[in-house]
């Protein structure tokens, strides 16, 4: 595979064609925060916390490092005023969902995010999709899915699959950046409560902290 030379934070980095900026940065020891990324899953690009500035072909853009592929002579900056203020805003929005998440609190400390900036949301889920994708791509069980659309979108366990597969697995719980215990709650609720017919085969409508 072809080698590609780019620059990350002033450092020359040799990457392989097809690598993402995130993978190239990690290979060079440059840290970029992530929330929806998992090395065993397909890149997703949902949370945008990995946003970096990239100069390519005379243009500067803000891109998600976990999905953007490296290219020759790309110049990447992982910490600029713009990048930090985007990450700060994103963390503040996510803290409205999960104010007690240790991962989010650590990011809030780094980027100076205010955990009370936005009104609290009823769902603890930040829709990183890790649980849904892990269950589908790695475990191949599809016991967790999405329900509703837009701002009402949430994850939920499919009771008939979860009751069969989840008790002996639960591998998605520690992946959740907000609260594994809350995810466990959702599973418990899904297994105990019968599914509401009007919400397809999912049983949960909101997540309680
Ligand atoms: S429940 Fe957790 S892991 Fe699943 S999508 Fe929501 S935040 Fe991500
Ligand atoms: S880690 Fe890149 S978008 Fe979430």
């Amino acid at each position: 595979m072809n080698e590609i030379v780019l620059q990350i934070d002033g450092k020359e980095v040799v990457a392989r064609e097809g690598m993402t900026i995130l993978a190239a940065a990690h290979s060079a020891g440059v840290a970029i925060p992530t929330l929806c990324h998992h090395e065993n899953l397909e890149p997703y690009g949902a949370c945008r916390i990995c946003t970096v500035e990239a100069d390519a072909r005379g243009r500067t853009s803000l891109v998600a490092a976990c999905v953007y592929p490296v290219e020759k002579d790309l110049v990447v900056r992982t910490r600029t005023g713009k990048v930090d203020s985007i990450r700060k805003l994103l963390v503040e929005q996510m803290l409205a969902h999960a104010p007690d998440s240790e991962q989010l609190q650590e990011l809030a400390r780094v980027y100076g995010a205010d955990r009370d900036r936005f009104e609290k949301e009823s769902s603890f889920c930040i829709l990183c999709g890790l649980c849904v994708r892990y269950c589908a791509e790695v475990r191949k069980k599809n016991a967790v899915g999405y329900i509703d659309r837009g701002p009402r979108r949430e994850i939920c366990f499919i009771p008939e699959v979860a009751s069969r597969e989840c008790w002996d697995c639960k591998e998605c719980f520690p992946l959740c950046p907000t609260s594994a215990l809350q995810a466990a709650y959702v599973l418990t609720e899904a297994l105990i409560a019968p599914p509401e017919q009007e919400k397809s085969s999912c049983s949960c409508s909101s997540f309680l902290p």
Side-chain angles (χ1 to χ4, degrees):
M1 210 170 265
N2 290 343
E3 287 194 336
I4 287 181
V5 180
L6 67 155
Q7 207 188 87
I8 304 180
D9 290 346
K11 207 171 170 176
E12 189 173 287
V13 176
V14 182
R16 289 184 316 278
E17 196 180 345
M19 264 173 126
T20 61
I21 291 176
L22 181 69
H26 283 172
S27 75
V30 177
I32 295 176
T34 62
L35 283 168
C36 70
H37 175 77
H38 187 289
E39 57 185 21
N40 295 336
L41 302 178
E42 287 298 312
Y44 193 52
C47 73
R48 314 310 276 189
I49 202 74
C50 65
T51 295
V52 295
E53 249 179 44
D55 298 342
R57 288 158 273 134
R59 279 189 55 193
T60 300
S61 359
L62 291 158
V63 300
C66 69
V67 290
Y68 197 93
V70 293
E71 57 185 275
K72 186 172 171 293
D73 298 331
L74 190 69
V75 176
V76 177
R77 290 174 294 278
T78 68
R79 292 291 299 263
T80 65
K82 243 185 214 170
V83 165
D84 281 13
S85 70
I86 287 170
R87 290 182 188 164
K88 173 176 178 287
L89 176 65
L90 290 169
V91 173
E92 287 170 338
Q93 289 170 337
M94 289 187 271
L95 280 166
H97 290 269
D100 299 323
S101 154
E102 281 176 23
Q103 237 175 303
L104 293 181
Q105 283 177 5
E106 175 56 20
L107 288 168
R109 197 188 55 71
V110 174
Y111 298 104
D114 174 0
R115 88 181 224 150
D116 297 316
R117 178 163 174 200
F118 295 106
E119 207 175 302
K120 295 289 168 283
E121 300 282 349
S122 59
S123 167
F124 73 87
C125 179
I126 58 168
L127 298 176
C128 71
L130 281 175
C131 56
V132 176
R133 293 179 293 131
Y134 186 86
C135 192
E137 293 178 32
V138 176
R139 300 289 304 168
K140 308 209 182 304
K141 301 294 183 192
N142 297 301
V144 200
Y146 291 110
I147 187 169
D148 281 338
R149 291 179 179 275
R152 291 173 53 83
R153 195 170 204 223
E154 291 175 354
I155 64 105
C156 92
F157 285 83
I158 317 295
E160 51 270 34
V161 185
S163 61
R164 211 173 48 235
E165 308 289 350
C166 297
W167 288 116
D168 291 334
C169 174
K170 301 189 181 101
E171 289 174 21
C172 62
F173 287 4
L175 303 181
C176 178
T178 60
S179 167
L181 280 180
Q182 285 161 321
Y185 169 80
V186 175
L187 168 61
T188 310
E189 184 194 48
L191 292 175
I192 292 169
E196 290 175 34
Q197 291 310 312
E198 71 271 22
K199 287 198 164 181
S200 72
S201 54
C202 285
S203 73
C204 43
S205 57
S206 67
F207 304 116
L208 305 175

